[in-house]
Amino acid sequence: MGTISERKRKNGSKSYTAQIRIKRDGEVIYTEAQTFDRRPAAGAWLKKRETELAEPGALDALKKEKHILAEVINRYIKENEKALGRTKSQVLDKIKTFSIANMKCEDIKSEDIVSFARELLVGRKPQTVLNYISHLSTIFTLARPAWGVPLNKTAMDDAQIVLSRLGVTSKSHSRNRRPTRAELEKLLEHYTDRQTRYPPMLTMVPLILFGLFSTRRQEEITRLRWDDLEVENSRVLVRDMKNPGEKMGNHTWCDLPHPALAIALSMPKKGEFIFPFNGRSVSASFTRATALLGIDDLHFHDLRHEGITRLFEMGLTIPHVAAVSGHRSWTSLKRYSHIRQSGDIYAGWKWIKGYTAPNAEAKIEEEHQQT
């Protein structure tokens, strides 16, 4: 009735899955499985469950509707009225491939969640594991009040405390990397040369400059629409802006400093989007270029950090900077304290001299006067 199968993990260790399958009249009427790190433990569990299932009435009790975790995850995805982000969808789909997804909801205890997190840690960073557990926690929060499914929220809360204390999960470290002007010039010269020799390639120069002066994230840049650009007010509607609480449907108006508005207006109107490129392609191209040029540990997202710090160096107040960056909490802006100088390091920079935009100069001058 029971079997044990051996599987080799990515880190070289082995796992043992004990499975029980009961047939009647040639049809499988019940199946159950658990995974263990040691074969003797799998064998002991198998023997114990076979004895329990042999008791009178045991199988009849199992015929009552019971949900496994994977079914509840599917229901959450199906019934969620909000569009799930790509990362969250991928995480939930991946969770369904682990043994915990086949457990009955009422049987999942804190130690099962801890064991699942340890499985996740193989080949992943604690920050990634925290992301998985956070998304799974949402399922535990909703299951009982929404559908009457007995997922134990307290077990999840206890597991999260344990995982944090043991270092299995941890928050991402804040990056303080700022590109130097020399590094940016190196990148821009590289892309200018590439664009001259290979015209069909991705136009990275305006993307880099816009990322720097607008403080926008790469995925936000590639979603900006011409219809959402207000030239007269020097601002743009950023759709689905990243936010700790939610992302989808979080649309925010953000001010555009003069160079950013000018760069946006320099783009040809060939469709709905101002920068009609794929965000992943932008990131991949940037990563390849920095590696080729020997620029160490620089990400496209670091342009946002540089752009926000530049605004503080220019003397803008926290409310003015938040109006550009889109930060809801002014407290979040306190970490942008890596001030190198006072004034605009990019004033008169050759890479933005060719850009002009109506009303933008007056707006930025007005901001300087207010500060």
Side-chain angles (χ1 to χ4, degrees):
M1 185 167 64
T3 60
I4 297 177
S5 58
E6 179 182 306
R7 183 174 69 89
K8 192 172 183 179
R9 297 188 176 115
K10 290 182 179 180
N11 66 348
S13 64
K14 294 180 180 180
S15 66
Y16 302 90
T17 301
Q19 185 176 51
I20 295 174
R21 184 173 293 176
I22 300 175
K23 289 185 177 182
R24 281 187 181 172
D25 300 326
E27 293 185 6
V28 176
I29 62 169
Y30 180 73
T31 182
E32 182 178 357
Q34 286 276 19
T35 300
F36 302 87
D37 292 331
R38 297 170 57 250
R39 181 180 284 274
W45 177 85
L46 198 59
K47 184 176 180 180
K48 176 175 176 291
R49 286 299 290 151
E50 287 177 341
T51 301
E52 292 172 348
L53 293 172
E55 292 290 329
L59 284 177
D60 291 333
L62 289 171
K63 288 181 180 180
K64 295 180 180 179
E65 184 179 14
K66 293 187 178 181
H67 300 277
I68 63 172
L69 180 58
E71 293 172 348
V72 184
I73 292 175
N74 287 334
R75 186 168 184 175
Y76 170 77
I77 295 171
K78 182 179 179 181
E79 297 186 11
N80 199 324
E81 297 297 333
K82 294 181 179 180
L84 297 181
R86 177 171 54 87
T87 300
K88 187 170 188 176
S89 296
Q90 290 175 344
V91 165
L92 293 176
D93 284 338
K94 187 64 178 179
I95 289 173
K96 290 188 291 182
T97 67
F98 286 81
S99 57
I100 193 173
N102 293 318
M103 291 184 65
K104 294 191 291 292
C105 292
E106 60 267 30
D107 292 341
I108 300 177
K109 301 179 176 62
S110 58
E111 53 263 38
D112 299 308
I113 300 169
V114 172
S115 178
F116 162 62
R118 289 192 177 280
E119 284 187 69
L120 282 171
L121 192 58
V122 178
R124 298 179 179 87
K125 295 181 179 180
Q127 295 91 327
T128 304
V129 177
L130 177 61
N131 192 36
Y132 274 71
I133 296 299
S134 296
H135 289 314
L136 182 59
S137 178
T138 302
I139 308 296
F140 276 71
T141 300
L142 296 177
R144 191 182 295 273
W147 308 301
V149 176
L151 272 175
N152 191 340
K153 180 62 168 63
T154 302
M156 172 58 77
D157 294 340
D158 291 343
Q160 287 179 305
I161 293 172
V162 170
L163 293 170
S164 178
R165 296 284 177 84
L166 295 178
V168 179
T169 61
S170 69
K171 293 183 178 179
S172 299
H173 300 295
S174 297
R175 281 182 62 86
N176 297 321
R177 176 72 158 92
R178 291 184 62 183
T180 65
R181 183 161 151 167
E183 287 175 331
L184 290 174
E185 289 178 346
K186 201 173 181 180
L187 274 165
L188 294 168
E189 286 168 1
H190 164 77
Y191 278 118
T192 300
D193 177 64
R194 295 279 292 175
Q195 188 70 45
T196 302
R197 290 190 290 162
Y198 308 103
M201 75 170 290
L202 182 62
T203 309
M204 285 292 293
V205 170
L207 280 166
I208 291 173
L209 293 173
F210 186 83
L212 171 64
F213 293 110
S214 70
T215 78
R216 300 269 55 82
R217 302 171 179 89
Q218 67 195 38
E219 65 273 14
E220 293 170 353
I221 294 173
T222 55
R223 289 199 302 269
L224 296 178
R225 304 175 183 178
W226 286 110
D227 288 345
D228 294 334
L229 178 64
E230 289 189 355
V231 176
E232 65 279 10
N233 295 317
S234 193
R235 67 174 189 166
V236 68
L237 183 65
V238 182
R239 296 177 180 272
D240 300 327
M241 180 182 284
K242 185 179 179 181
N243 182 339
E246 61 179 322
K247 175 181 175 182
M248 305 306 292
N250 180 37
H251 307 328
T252 306
W253 284 101
C254 293
D255 287 354
L256 288 175
H258 167 248
L261 177 62
I263 293 161
L265 292 176
S266 74
M267 297 297 294
K269 289 189 176 182
K270 293 183 177 179
E272 178 182 4
F273 299 100
I274 300 174
F275 299 94
F277 309 113
N278 184 297
R280 291 187 185 181
S281 300
V282 173
S283 178
S285 177
F286 193 87
T287 300
R288 286 194 300 268
T290 53
L292 179 66
L293 299 172
I295 300 174
D296 185 48
D297 188 36
L298 184 65
H299 304 165
F300 191 94
H301 189 77
D302 295 328
L303 299 176
R304 173 172 166 83
H305 188 103
E306 172 70 4
I308 293 173
T309 307
R310 166 185 173 265
L311 296 176
F312 280 120
E313 290 178 341
M314 290 170 61
L316 270 66
T317 62
I318 288 180
H320 281 94
V321 175
V324 176
S325 68
H327 281 88
R328 290 184 178 179
S329 170
W330 292 356
T331 305
S332 302
L333 288 169
K334 289 182 179 179
R335 78 180 190 88
Y336 294 93
S337 58
H338 306 87
I339 307 299
R340 292 174 180 161
Q341 62 161 41
S342 61
D344 186 3
I345 190 177
Y346 299 101
W349 199 27
K350 68 175 183 178
W351 293 99
I352 57 172
K353 276 188 174 181
Y355 295 102
T356 57
N359 302 328
E361 283 287 2
K363 181 176 177 62
I364 204 71
E365 181 62 31
E366 179 185 345
E367 288 180 347
H368 277 300
Q369 291 175 357
Q370 290 176 355
T371 57

